Amino acid sequence: EPEVTQTPSHQVTQMGQEVILRCVPISNHLYFYWYRQILGQKVEFLVSFYNNEISEKSEIFDDQFSVERPDGSNFTLKIRSTKLEDSAMYFCASSEGVLPYEQYFGPGTRLTVT
Amino acid sequence: AQKITQTQPGMFVQEKEAVTLDCTYDTSDQSYGLFWYKQPSSGEMIFLIYQGSYDEQNATEGRYSLNFQKARKSANLVISASQLGDSAMYFCAMRPLSGSARQLTFGSGTQLTVLP
């Protein structure tokens, strides 16, 4: 069964460093998403991406964040200068289409900023 | 704006019993979708079941069913014949089905523990 994959599973970085989180969505899916979950809290939407551009973003997704689909399979989230409060689990998700299509989540990348 | 409320931070159920996890929602959208996800201790988010606001019948997927009461704005998850492997965090989520917004809005979750 096709699945969303994410690498790395755990990333530790120092405050102020740049990190890139990688995702490979399900191959025939057209919509891609990033969510984050701070430990013990609810899952929060960051950004959605379709047709090589951002279609929605939340208030969390400020200038420190960017997304890219560098090739036909990868979807990346970059945090330019990490802060302690960026420590969270980051989930990539993808969906086949707009309606109503379920979003399938990857296993997540746990980011720890020290 | 959409809001999901899960009022049960933790629930316990005996193995083989049924359990209901509560979810209420608030939205101004006329057309919306409701979802339940399971998050085991390993951390991944597993899609369980979907209900559209336009669906007249409650959704079912194996041992999972969604008790959708539109007038009460509730979308409770019912797990029948609980198994030890059902122990996990369960999240209710929703998104509008009209317009361009596709983001899921999640509740705070319910930690389910299945007792042997």
Side-chain angles (χ1 to χ4, degrees), chain B residues 13-108:
Chain B
V13 65
Q14 209 69 41
E15 196 177 4
K16 300 178 186 172
E17 298 285 308
V19 64
T20 298
L21 306 184
D22 294 341
C23 172
T24 58
Y25 61 89
D26 193 20
T27 181
S28 55
D29 294 292
Q30 295 299 308
S31 177
Y32 48 89
L34 296 152
F35 304 79
W36 277 91
Y37 285 84
K38 172 183 178 182
Q39 186 178 42
S41 57
S42 49
E44 70 269 31
M45 295 284 286
I46 302 167
F47 165 73
L48 295 178
I49 195 167
Y50 163 80
Q51 176 87 42
S53 59
Y54 47 80
D55 292 331
E56 294 187 354
Q57 287 198 316
N58 287 341
T60 59
E61 287 287 346
R63 294 186 298 110
Y64 304 108
S65 60
L66 201 153
N67 183 2
F68 179 47
Q69 297 187 48
K70 193 170 182 178
R72 297 181 63 183
K73 294 190 173 180
S74 73
N76 299 338
L77 177 70
V78 181
I79 306 174
S80 63
S82 297
Q83 302 171 356
L84 295 178
D86 294 334
S87 293
M89 182 73 90
Y90 289 80
F91 290 97
C92 181
M94 74 180 302
R95 56 155 285 210
L97 299 185
S98 57
S100 60
R102 298 172 194 94
Q103 59 175 287
L104 287 168
T105 299
F106 284 84
S108 54

Side-chain angles (χ1 to χ4, degrees), chain A residues 3 28-29 41-42 69 72-73:
Chain A
E3 57 183 19
N28 64 331
H29 285 189
Q41 299 186 22
K42 65 173 70 174
R69 189 155 163 83
S73 58

Side-chain angles (χ1 to χ4, degrees), chain A residues 61-72:
Chain A
F61 194 87
D62 61 22
D63 292 344
Q64 292 298 312
F65 292 89
S66 62
V67 289
E68 194 178 30
R69 189 155 163 83
D71 53 43

